[in-house]
Amino acid sequence: VYYEYFRNYFHNTEDSSSPSSSKKRIQEERLQDLVYIQKNFPQAMDANQMIAFTEGLIAMVTGDDENDGDANKNKNSTTDWLSLRQRLHALAELFHTALYEYDIAIQLYSKALYLTGTAGDNDNDDDVIQNKYVADTNCAIAQVLYDQGKLTESLELYETSLQLRLLVLEKSNDTDNDAEQQLDVASSYHHMARVLWRQGKLDDSKVLFEKALTIRLKYLDNNDDRTHTHYDVIDSYYKLAIVLDDQEYLEEAMELYEQKVLSAWIATLGDEHAEVSAIYSNMANVKSRMGQLEEEMEYYQKALLIKKKTVGEFHSSVADTYNNMACVHDERGELIGAMDLYHKALELWKQILGEDHSNVADTYYNISIVLEKQGMLTEAANACAKALEVYRHVHGPDHVETMDAEREWLRLQDNIEGENQRDYDASDSSSSGSSSGSSGQNVKEERRGDEEQGTSSSGGSQ
C-alpha cells in the first residue's frame, strides 16, 4: 500500500503549470518522506522494488532521467550538491542499517563520493569542504565493509579518511569549527581501533582508543556545566575497558567498568537500559576470570533482570546469561541449580536458533558435564552424543570442538563399560572406575557464552 501510494505521489508532480524549481523542491521533500517511511516501515517495499524506486528518485532529483549531461548542470552550486549528497547518504544508510543490503548501500555512498569529488570551484575553501565530505563518505563505506567482515578493506578506508581529516584540520582557517574537526579525527582513531580490536591487534587498538579518548575528553567533557558525561566519551572508556579485559589486565578493566562506564551509563540512560545490562555482563566475565564467583553471579543477575525488561524472555542474550549463570552454579558445586538453568538456556536456543546451532551443542555439552558429576553416566553420554551430532553438522568432523566432543563421548562410553564391569567383578572395577572418573572431572570444562563483549553489540556501535 505504501509503495503504490508513494509511487503515485511522486509521479503526480508532473504538472506542466508548476515551475521547474517548484517541482524539484516538491520531489526532494517527497524523497525525504520516503526515507522517513522506509526507516519506520521497512516492510513497505521488498529489495527489488526499493532498488528500482531509488534509482528513479535519484534520476528525478538530479535531472538525469532524460540525459546524463543534465545531471551536472547544478553541480557547482554548493547548496544543490550538498542537498543531493545528504539524500544519497540517507538512502544508503537505509539500505545499510534497515534493509541490510550492503552492496547497494556502498553503491549509493559511491555515488555521493563521485558527486562530492566533482563539485565546487577548486579554490581553497572548496578543497577543505570536499575533503571533509569525502572523508565522511569514506567512513560510511568503511562501516559497511566492517559490518560485512571485510576488515582489511575497512581499515584502509578509515586510514584514508584519517589523512583527509588531518589535512582539513591543517588547512582550515575556521577556528570556530576546530572542535568539530578535532572530533572527526578522534572518530577516525576510534573506528580504526575497533577494526584492529577485531583483528586481534590489541596493543595497536589500545593506542588508538587512548588517542580518541584524549581528544574527546578535551572537546566534549571539559564543561563544568555538563550534567552527564558525553556518549562518545563513555564509549571510548567502554572500548578501552574491553581491550584491557582481553589483554588480561583485569583490575584495570574492572576499574574502568565500575568508575567510568557503569555510573555514566546509569546517569545518562537510566538503570534499566540495554547498555547497562551489557556492562553488567562484561563485569561478570571479568569477575569470573578473577575467580570471584559471588560477585560474578550478582552481576549476571542484574544483567538478567534488565534484559527481561528490555528485550523480554524470548531473546538470545537471555539464553546467554542463563548459560553463564549455570556455569557459576556448577563451579560452586550447586549442580541442581546449574542443570535447571542449562535447560532454560537450551530450550531458548532451540526455539530461537533451531536444533542445529553451535550454542545448542555447547549447552548439551555443558549438561553432560553436570550429569557426569551427578554420577549419571548414561545420561551424560547421551547429552554428549547430542552435542557431537550438532557439532558434526555445524562444524564438520575435523573441527576442534567436534573432535573434543567425540573424545569425551568415547571416554564416557569407557566409563559406562567400567561401571557395568563392576557388577561382575568388583575387585577389577574399583581401580579402573575411579581412574577414569577423575579423568573426566579434569578434562572437561564448561563452555560459557560470549555475552556482549564477544559480540558486535558493543563493538559495532557507531
Side-chain angles (χ1 to χ4, degrees):
V1 171
Y2 276 110
Y3 171 67
E4 291 299 326
Y5 173 73
F6 272 93
R7 184 172 64 84
N8 295 328
Y9 188 36
F10 270 86
H11 282 283
N12 286 339
T13 62
E14 299 301 319
D15 181 359
S16 58
S17 63
S18 300
S20 176
S21 61
S22 175
K23 285 193 295 183
K24 181 176 179 181
R25 178 182 57 78
I26 294 170
Q27 289 166 352
E28 289 180 348
E29 288 175 353
R30 291 178 179 178
L31 178 57
Q32 289 178 320
D33 291 340
L34 173 74
V35 171
Y36 172 81
I37 288 294
Q38 278 298 304
K39 281 187 174 181
N40 290 276
F41 303 95
Q43 74 277 17
M45 302 182 195
D46 63 29
N48 290 330
Q49 288 173 319
M50 189 64 189
I51 294 166
F53 200 37
T54 301
E55 292 297 330
L57 293 173
I58 293 169
M60 290 170 69
V61 175
T62 58
D64 63 359
D65 50 333
E66 295 183 358
N67 62 75
D68 292 338
D70 291 342
N72 296 314
K73 61 186 178 182
N74 289 319
K75 276 186 178 177
N76 287 332
S77 168
T78 302
T79 302
D80 284 348
W81 73 261
L82 282 179
S83 176
L84 178 55
R85 175 191 174 276
Q86 181 181 3
R87 283 155 177 76
L88 285 166
H89 265 250
L91 286 167
E93 182 184 355
L94 178 68
F95 277 103
H96 175 200
T97 61
L99 302 177
Y100 306 107
E101 295 285 351
Y102 296 129
D103 291 337
I104 301 170
I106 289 176
Q107 290 172 15
L108 290 168
Y109 281 131
S110 297
K111 287 186 178 184
L113 201 59
Y114 172 78
L115 180 73
T116 306
T118 57
D121 296 320
N122 296 318
D123 62 18
N124 185 64
D125 289 341
D126 280 341
D127 282 346
V128 171
I129 292 171
Q130 285 176 274
N131 284 337
K132 171 180 168 49
Y133 287 120
V134 167
D136 291 347
T137 304
N138 277 337
C139 278
I141 297 173
Q143 180 61 42
V144 180
L145 293 169
Y146 177 90
D147 290 341
Q148 288 180 306
K150 299 177 180 179
L151 301 184
T152 301
E153 297 171 54
S154 176
L155 184 60
E156 288 174 356
L157 264 184
Y158 278 134
E159 288 172 340
T160 300
S161 298
L162 173 63
Q163 295 308 315
L164 285 172
R165 285 172 169 175
L166 289 170
L167 188 62
V168 168
L169 190 61
E170 178 186 341
K171 289 189 173 183
S172 176
N173 298 318
D174 188 356
T175 55
D176 292 338
N177 287 329
D178 183 63
E180 178 185 348
Q181 292 159 6
Q182 291 280 3
L183 290 171
D184 283 343
V185 171
S187 177
S188 289
Y189 285 139
H190 184 87
H191 286 89
M192 288 167 63
R194 289 171 57 236
V195 179
L196 291 166
W197 171 69
R198 279 189 64 181
Q199 290 178 324
K201 300 174 182 177
L202 299 181
D203 291 339
D204 294 337
S205 176
K206 180 173 178 286
V207 169
L208 292 183
F209 276 135
E210 287 173 338
K211 283 186 175 183
L213 177 60
T214 299
I215 297 172
R216 287 172 170 179
L217 283 172
K218 180 178 180 180
Y219 290 96
L220 293 176
D221 225 36
N222 60 350
N223 187 346
D224 292 336
D225 295 332
R226 287 188 61 85
T227 56
H228 302 307
T229 306
H230 192 280
Y231 174 91
D232 287 343
V233 173
I234 305 172
D235 195 39
S236 287
Y237 278 127
Y238 186 14
K239 300 302 191 300
L240 193 54
I242 291 174
V243 173
L244 290 168
D245 186 351
D246 289 343
Q247 290 178 314
E248 297 296 325
Y249 297 130
L250 302 182
E251 295 288 349
E252 293 90 335
M254 200 68 196
E255 182 178 344
L256 281 183
Y257 281 137
E258 289 178 331
Q259 298 181 13
K260 297 295 186 180
V261 184
L262 178 63
S263 57
W265 276 142
I266 291 175
T268 304
L269 304 171
D271 57 4
E272 293 184 354
H273 193 277
E275 292 284 1
V276 176
S277 170
I279 298 301
Y280 281 134
S281 294
N282 287 358
M283 292 168 72
N285 290 335
V286 176
K287 289 295 184 181
S288 170
R289 301 208 303 285
M290 295 171 73
Q292 299 175 7
L293 300 183
E294 294 293 335
E295 292 89 341
E296 179 187 4
M297 180 63 81
E298 180 183 338
Y299 286 131
Y300 278 138
Q301 288 170 339
K302 289 181 177 180
L304 183 64
L305 286 175
I306 296 172
K307 288 175 182 180
K308 287 182 175 180
K309 290 180 179 179
T310 56
V311 299
E313 289 269 4
F314 190 74
H315 196 272
S316 59
S317 67
V318 172
D320 262 332
T321 306
Y322 280 143
N323 180 79
N324 290 343
M325 290 172 67
C327 289
V328 180
H329 277 299
D330 190 359
E331 291 175 26
R332 288 159 56 172
E334 300 163 356
L335 301 183
I336 295 175
M339 187 64 73
D340 179 58
L341 288 171
Y342 278 139
H343 279 294
K344 285 185 176 181
L346 179 63
E347 289 308 309
L348 272 178
W349 286 135
K350 287 161 68 174
Q351 292 178 58
I352 295 169
L353 303 173
E355 296 276 353
D356 291 329
H357 192 279
S358 59
N359 287 3
V360 173
D362 287 344
T363 310
Y364 275 129
Y365 188 91
N366 289 346
I367 288 172
S368 76
I369 295 174
V370 178
L371 288 168
E372 184 181 7
K373 289 180 180 180
Q374 291 176 318
M376 304 168 68
L377 297 183
T378 301
E379 292 84 348
N382 290 338
C384 192
K386 290 179 180 179
L388 176 59
E389 180 182 358
V390 178
Y391 282 136
R392 282 174 174 163
H393 188 268
V394 174
H395 296 317
D398 298 325
H399 191 274
V400 61
E401 289 185 338
T402 306
M403 293 188 290
D404 181 42
E406 186 170 13
R407 280 194 300 269
E408 291 305 320
W409 180 76
L410 291 171
R411 186 186 59 77
L412 286 166
Q413 292 298 322
D414 288 342
N415 286 0
I416 292 170
E417 290 178 9
E419 288 286 331
N420 292 336
Q421 182 67 25
R422 263 201 294 271
D423 293 337
Y424 299 100
D425 191 348
S427 62
D428 288 339
S429 66
S430 61
S431 59
S432 63
S434 64
S435 171
S436 58
S438 63
S439 170
Q441 295 298 319
N442 292 328
V443 173
K444 295 177 76 176
E445 181 178 348
E446 290 90 349
R447 291 176 177 169
R448 291 175 180 262
D450 284 337
E451 293 268 354
E452 278 74 7
Q453 179 174 326
T455 68
S456 57
S457 72
S458 63
S461 113
Q462 298 292 321

